Every structure is written in C-alpha cells, then in structure tokens.
Amino acid sequence: MKTQRQAKIMEIITAQNIETQEQLLEALQQSGFQSTQATISRDIKELRIVKELTPMGSYRYTASAAEKPGTFSSRLNTIFRECVTHYDCAQNMVVIKTMPGLANAAGVAIDAMNMSVILGTLAGDDTVFIVMRDAAAAAAFCAEIKKLLE
C-alpha cells in the first residue's frame, strides 16, 4: 500500500500544481487512497519531495533533482571530518563528540552511510550516540572513523 501511495503521490505532483500537504491529501483521497497528514509528511520526506518556486511566484511540490553520484556523500564526508573532535566505543555503542551545534550534521552523515550494522543514531548539540548491532561492529566502525579523519 505504501509503495502504491507513494507512486500516486509522485504522479499527482507531476500532473498538478500542489502547494500544500492538505491539497496533496485531498488529491490522494480523490484517487482512492485514505491517508493522514502525518503519513503524507513522512512520504514527502522519504520521496525527497521539495517545494519549488513557480514562474507565477507561488510554490509547488516537485521531485528533487537527482544529485550527481558521489556529490552528497563526499560533502557529508567533508562535514564529518570538519566537525568530529573525538569518538570512542563501549560494547555495541559509539559516541562521537563534535564541535558545538554540529552533531546533527555528523548524524546525517552517519545515517547516509546506510550501514546495516547501525541500529540507530541520536544527535544532540555536540554528541552523536550510535547503537551498533554488536561490539565487533562498534570497534570496526571506530576504525573506519579513524581512517576517515586521518
């Protein structure tokens, strides 16, 4: 159902000028998909739908332009290298310290790695907490961080 709904969302935003989530929800309902605003919001995020300025000065939802291969990850690697000040692991957990205000950027870089051994990340102001699948994965991840920061 989710895949079908998301495909319909892409079809709708391609065919119509949709300015709000409410308009998108209404168009989905007219197409026979029952959903909530919260679900639509998650779909927009997952599909990387963005708002663009139209020639008439209003905004509309559109599929984001695909990034050039390697561009996003190389930028995240640069951000990660610049903001990490310390890292360590204990059991299956990794803690990364960053410069103030940059833990979210480091967390996004980690999440973008899409590693199956990472169960989850939590970022504060200057600390990223990572839960790994096991202690060996945490140690290996710290070794990767060391290579990245060299």
Side-chain angles (χ1 to χ4, degrees):
M1 186 64 152
K2 177 180 177 179
T3 305
Q4 295 166 334
R5 183 184 64 247
Q6 288 184 346
K8 190 62 172 178
I9 288 171
M10 295 302 287
E11 182 183 316
I12 290 169
I13 66 167
T14 302
Q16 302 175 36
N17 281 339
I18 302 292
E19 296 180 21
T20 66
Q21 289 183 11
E22 292 78 20
Q23 288 176 337
L24 182 56
L25 181 59
E26 185 178 314
L28 271 175
Q29 289 172 342
Q30 289 173 356
S31 298
F33 290 87
Q34 294 303 315
S35 191
T36 66
Q37 188 274 329
T39 300
I40 300 301
S41 183
R42 282 189 296 273
D43 286 341
I44 287 170
K45 184 176 181 181
E46 285 179 25
L47 294 169
R48 297 180 188 230
I49 294 173
V50 296
K51 282 193 172 184
E52 72 175 357
L53 185 62
T54 67
M56 293 156 288
S58 62
Y59 286 91
R60 69 182 290 267
Y61 283 114
T62 186
S64 65
E67 295 215 32
K68 295 176 184 158
T71 304
F72 187 64
S73 62
S74 65
R75 281 190 294 186
L76 286 175
N77 285 341
T78 301
I79 291 168
F80 192 80
R81 279 194 302 272
E82 296 297 320
C83 72
V84 172
T85 60
H86 181 74
Y87 60 93
D88 206 348
C89 66
Q91 304 275 335
N92 68 322
M93 299 170 285
V94 176
V95 175
I96 298 175
K97 298 296 279 181
T98 69
M99 293 171 36
L102 295 177
N104 279 313
V108 168
I110 293 163
D111 288 342
M113 293 176 188
N114 290 322
M115 297 174 66
S116 62
V117 294
I118 296 176
L119 298 179
T121 60
L122 181 64
D125 183 58
D126 65 353
T127 305
V128 181
F129 177 75
I130 308 162
V131 178
M132 307 295 289
R133 192 159 300 283
D134 54 40
F141 187 71
C142 281
E144 288 297 316
I145 292 172
K146 182 178 181 179
K147 286 181 196 174
L148 187 62
L149 298 180
E150 290 178 342

